[in-house]
Every structure is written in C-alpha cells, then in structure tokens.
Amino acid sequence: MNALDSGVLLCYFLVLIVRDFDFGAKRAKTAEDFALAGRNLGLFVYLGCLSAVILGGASTIGTAKLGYQFGISGMWFVFMIGLGIAVLGLFFTNQIYGAHVTTISELLGRRYNQETRLISALVAAIYTLMVSVTQVIGMGTIIHAVLGWSMTVSMLVGGGIVLFYTILGGMWSVTMTDIIQFIVMTVGIFFVMLPMSLSHVGGWTSLLERLPASHFDLTSMGWANIFQYFLLYTLGMVVSQDIWQRVFTARTPNIARGGAIYAGLYSVAYAVALSVIGMCGVIVFPNMNDPQNVFANMSLEILPHGLLGLILASVCSALMSTASGTLLASSTLLSHDILKQYWLKNMSDRQFVLLSRMMTLAVGIVAIVFAIWIQDVLVALDVAYAILSGAIFVPVVLGFFWKRATAKAGFYSIVISSLVVLIGLVVEGLSSTNPIMYGIGVSIVSIVVFSYLFPSSNLKEGNKMIEEQQHVL
C-alpha cells in the first residue's frame, strides 16, 4: 500500500478521533448518554447505526470467504442476520422499546427475578465479548494482508483504535462514528468494490461461463449449513444485547421498528454483494490457501491507489462499528446488571459513567487477548451465537408471550441450557449445530416443567409487565 492509500486511512481515523473529541466525549455526561445516546436518535441516524453494528468483520470477510467457497449460496450467512433484525423490528420492538430498560438482562430480571437477571447478564456478556473478538480478528486480517504485520500486532493495533474511541464517548461516540462508517462502507462495497470486481473478471456473463454451476445454486452450501445460520443468527438477532441497545437509542417506537426492518433489507443486499465479490475472487485467485483473505487480496489486486485506501477504510468501518457496539454492550451488561446491581448500588451517575469506561477498557483488553488466541472469525462468531440462541432465546420469547412462565423457570432454563450448549460444543465441536438445538429443546422443556412445578408468587407482576408492553402503542 503506497503513501496515498496510507493517507486516506490516516485521514479517516483522524476524522473519527477528532469527531469523538468534539462531539461524543462532550455529550456522554450521564449514564443514559453513555449507554443509549440519550434515547434520541432519528430514523436515518438510527438506521445507519443499526446497519453498521450488525454488518461487521464476520459479515464482510466471512461472506466473501463463503462466496469464494460456495458461490451465491454464501449469502445465507448475512441473509439470516438480516432476517433476524427484520423479525425483531416486526414482532418485538413494541415489547422491548416499551419496557424502557437499558439491557436485555434488566428486562428478564423484571419479568422473572434478579437471579435470572444475573445469569442472563453473564451469558449475554460472553456473547457480546465473542462478537467483539470476531471484529478484532477481522481487523487483524485486513492489516496483516495489507501491511504484512504479524496477526498479533495487527489485532493489537486495530482493537486498540476501537477501544480508544469507545471509551471516549460511549454510545454517542459509537453513534457518530457509525454514521460515518455506514456511509463509507456503503460507498466502498456497493459503488466501488462490487462493480470493479465484476469489471475485472469480465462481468456477470464471464462469471456464468467460468465458474461451476454449483456457484449459482442458492443451496450449494447445504441445507444443514443454512439451517445452522438460521439457528445462530436469526434467533440470535432477536435476543442480542448489542442490537437491543441500539433499539433503545431510537426516539420513538415507530423509528425503532422501521429502522430495524430497513436494516434487515440492507443486510440482504450486503450479503449478495459480498458473495459476488467472493465469486470474482475464484477467478482472480483460483488456488487460495486461506479464503478468509479473499476480500483483502481482491482489494490489493484490482483497485488503483487511493481507491484501495477507501475500500480498506470501508472494511475497517464495518469492523469497527460492530466491535465498538459489542464492546459497549458487554461492558454495559457487566456494569449495569452486575456491579451496580449487587456491589455498587449507591454510586452517583458520574461515578457510573467512570465505571462504564473502566469496564469497557477491561472487556476490550480481554477481547483482544481472545482474538489473538482464536484467530478464526467464523469459529468465534459461531461460539457467540450458539450460546445466545441456545440459552437466551426461549426465556425471552416465552417471557413476552407466555404468561405462565415463572421466575424459577426462567432462571433454571438459562442455567441448564447454557450448560447443555457449552458441553455440546466441547463434545461435538465448535461449529456443530446440534448443541444449539439441544439447548433450545432443553430450554423449552425446563421453562415449561418448572413453571408448572413451581408456580411463582410474582406471576401477576410479570403478566402485568407483558400487558403494559403490549399496549405501549
């Protein structure tokens, strides 16, 4: 990468940092400002932030990799993410927006009990931490491929930049950078990388002629993989703390719902674009040893200097947006639902903002260490969503729609299903679908059985909460 491309990237990072000093750090004065940007985002800003957080390193690098391996069928990965966010917008925004909470665990604690709040906060914090890990791996992959630095140094640099601006202004910093990053990633992927990739290989007609027919089969990756993505990402999006935290930033319920649906549609287009870029990579690099590098290598191969810097900035945008959102989500869960709830109950709002910054720093350091250890973006994401889908999805959904679900049922359902998922991942492998299904099955059985065996004294209060949420609009 020459001086022009380096200059583009440097200017981009400087704009983000200056913007955070000028705006984010000044506005993050209260706990609600730091965690939720004051619950005051309009539709465009909210849509950009939501799209940026769900389309990160795994979405960009992982989908290009799958497009290289399976062709257009590689779209199912991000398609299922888009489907999940659209389902959230259509069926759940009224419920979660009306609760006026900060975290998914706070709502579960209100619906069930404080023990459920604690265990769900731990599980969700692990999930958001692991998603942060995937983004650090993704940034490391790009920096390693372009600059030739070791993966360890590359991940330290990329993760450190994100950690810095997230600590600086919390959700306001994340929001401001996400808008910039949403615009950059949209221009970079749809208006530069996709058309130039197709042009470099001779257009769509050339793809049809030079690639095997299986690369144009929507199901070439196999129904088992497609179903796995549904379990992991469609269900996971519905109960994901980093997504909920963005929903809570919307100014009104209508903005929360509409923005989620539009973000889902944007995700589908993003999935198709990255899959096609990966397919072009098959022609340009027919014998790649590591398909995870196909996007970075395509950028280096086909783009002139200057545009290369823009594309790398767009990829970093996608990575940084999700990383900052999930880092903030994990630290919010730990500080809001565990530390403040059990040990630091009387702290002031200013002290809580300081605590949130300290927890963000701690979570960020752990994420970078884990990224250096794992170094596979899709494996790390599979672990994160397996825990979330297998252990949290059922208690959240039944808590909303089944009035008989009781406090003990919610608590033991999360505990038992979490153990089942973790044991299943150890026994059957990190990429196995079975542990998720085991977890969901055990979760359903547990919540139903415990609800009937141990009727809860707070059942009426939980039902009242459901009715209030259902009549928010």
Side-chain angles (χ1 to χ4, degrees):
M1 190 168 69
N2 72 357
L4 178 60
D5 297 313
S6 300
V8 171
L9 277 176
L10 179 61
C11 288
Y12 175 72
F13 289 131
L14 286 175
V15 166
L16 294 184
I17 294 171
V18 170
R19 182 62 175 171
D20 285 337
F21 270 119
D22 184 53
F23 190 85
K26 293 180 181 179
R27 300 199 65 168
K29 301 300 184 183
T30 68
E32 191 160 277
D33 287 335
F34 190 86
L36 302 175
R39 302 181 190 266
N40 197 36
L41 301 188
L43 179 60
F44 175 75
V45 176
Y46 170 70
L47 168 62
C49 292
L50 195 57
S51 299
V53 76
I54 63 178
L55 299 173
S59 301
T60 304
I61 297 170
T63 301
K65 172 185 176 180
L66 292 173
Y68 185 93
Q69 294 173 317
F70 302 105
I72 197 65
S73 185
M75 66 171 282
W76 286 111
F77 167 35
V78 172
F79 178 92
M80 291 303 179
I81 292 177
L83 177 61
I85 206 71
V87 168
L88 177 68
L90 287 169
F91 301 108
F92 290 92
T93 48
N94 290 0
Q95 306 280 354
I96 63 178
Y97 191 91
H100 201 77
V101 295
T102 301
T103 66
I104 183 174
S105 302
E106 184 180 357
L107 187 142
L108 285 171
R110 188 184 300 179
R111 174 62 179 86
Y112 296 111
N113 57 22
Q114 291 305 304
E115 289 78 12
T116 305
R117 179 176 183 176
L118 174 62
I119 190 66
S120 63
L122 290 172
V123 172
I126 292 171
Y127 149 73
T128 48
L129 170 66
M130 292 305 296
V131 177
S132 300
V133 170
T134 68
Q135 310 314 302
V136 176
I137 295 171
M139 283 183 279
T141 301
I142 294 297
I143 295 172
H144 168 70
V146 174
L147 300 180
W149 297 351
S150 71
M151 278 293 290
T152 298
V153 172
S154 298
M155 287 186 280
L156 284 170
V157 171
I161 292 172
V162 173
L163 184 56
F164 171 76
Y165 80 73
T166 305
I167 292 172
L168 193 64
M171 186 58 83
W172 274 120
S173 284
V174 172
T175 296
M176 292 302 100
T177 54
D178 278 358
I179 292 304
I180 298 172
Q181 289 164 186
F182 174 69
I183 294 171
V184 171
M185 63 190 269
T186 300
V187 171
I189 298 300
F190 290 101
F191 297 99
V192 178
M193 192 66 185
L194 177 61
M196 293 195 70
S197 295
L198 284 170
S199 175
H200 189 77
V201 300
W204 183 257
T205 302
S206 178
L207 285 182
L208 289 171
E209 294 173 350
R210 300 170 67 180
L211 292 180
S214 61
H215 269 58
F216 300 92
D217 181 356
L218 282 173
T219 63
S220 63
M221 70 164 51
W223 285 107
N225 284 327
I226 295 172
F227 182 61
Q228 180 184 26
Y229 291 145
F230 172 78
L231 290 176
L232 288 170
Y233 307 122
T234 301
L235 302 188
M237 283 290 108
V238 174
V239 292
S240 174
Q241 167 61 25
D242 52 318
I243 307 303
W244 280 40
Q245 201 159 341
R246 296 307 177 97
V247 171
F248 297 147
T249 65
R251 186 180 301 136
T252 67
N254 286 335
I255 290 175
R257 184 190 309 108
I261 294 170
Y262 295 144
L265 295 174
Y266 180 89
S267 300
V268 174
Y270 198 86
V272 174
L274 266 297
S275 296
V276 173
I277 292 170
M279 293 165 66
C280 294
V282 177
I283 296 175
V284 180
F285 305 104
N287 299 305
M288 284 194 68
N289 293 325
D290 186 3
Q292 186 165 263
N293 293 326
V294 64
F295 188 92
N297 288 349
M298 282 291 291
S299 301
L300 292 168
E301 175 70 20
I302 69 175
L303 297 178
H305 295 301
L307 277 181
L308 175 59
L310 174 64
I311 290 302
L312 294 176
S314 72
V315 177
C316 289
S317 295
L319 297 161
M320 294 167 69
S321 294
T322 302
S324 57
T326 50
L327 283 175
L328 187 60
S330 187
S331 66
T332 300
L333 285 160
L334 294 172
S335 57
H336 180 76
D337 292 292
I338 298 177
L339 294 178
K340 185 179 180 181
Q341 187 70 17
Y342 291 93
W343 290 287
L344 303 170
K345 295 181 179 180
N346 298 320
M347 67 183 344
S348 67
D349 200 62
R350 183 181 294 273
Q351 289 173 326
F352 183 73
V353 173
L354 177 60
L355 173 66
S356 298
R357 286 192 167 103
M358 292 173 61
M359 288 308 302
T360 303
L361 174 61
V363 170
I365 292 172
V366 172
I368 293 171
V369 171
F370 272 45
I372 294 171
W373 176 38
I374 296 176
Q375 296 199 11
D376 189 308
V377 68
L378 292 181
V379 169
L381 200 67
D382 285 350
V383 173
Y385 277 96
I387 296 170
L388 189 71
S389 300
I392 299 294
F393 180 78
V394 171
V396 169
V397 173
L398 291 186
F400 281 140
F401 298 109
W402 191 45
K403 295 182 178 182
R404 199 172 188 88
T406 64
K408 284 188 177 181
F411 174 73
Y412 286 112
S413 171
I414 294 174
V415 172
I416 296 171
S417 57
S418 296
L419 291 173
V420 168
V421 171
L422 290 173
I423 293 171
L425 290 172
V426 171
V427 173
E428 300 202 15
L430 297 180
S431 59
S432 174
T433 306
N434 292 334
I436 307 166
M437 293 188 289
Y438 299 155
I440 291 174
V442 168
S443 186
I444 293 172
V445 172
S446 299
I447 205 167
V448 171
V449 170
F450 279 100
S451 292
Y452 280 102
L453 288 179
F454 303 102
S456 177
S457 60
N458 70 342
L459 188 57
K460 291 183 179 179
E461 296 177 5
N463 292 340
K464 182 180 179 181
M465 186 200 78
I466 296 175
E467 292 170 1
E468 289 175 351
Q469 291 168 1
Q470 290 174 340
H471 290 88
V472 169
L473 299 183

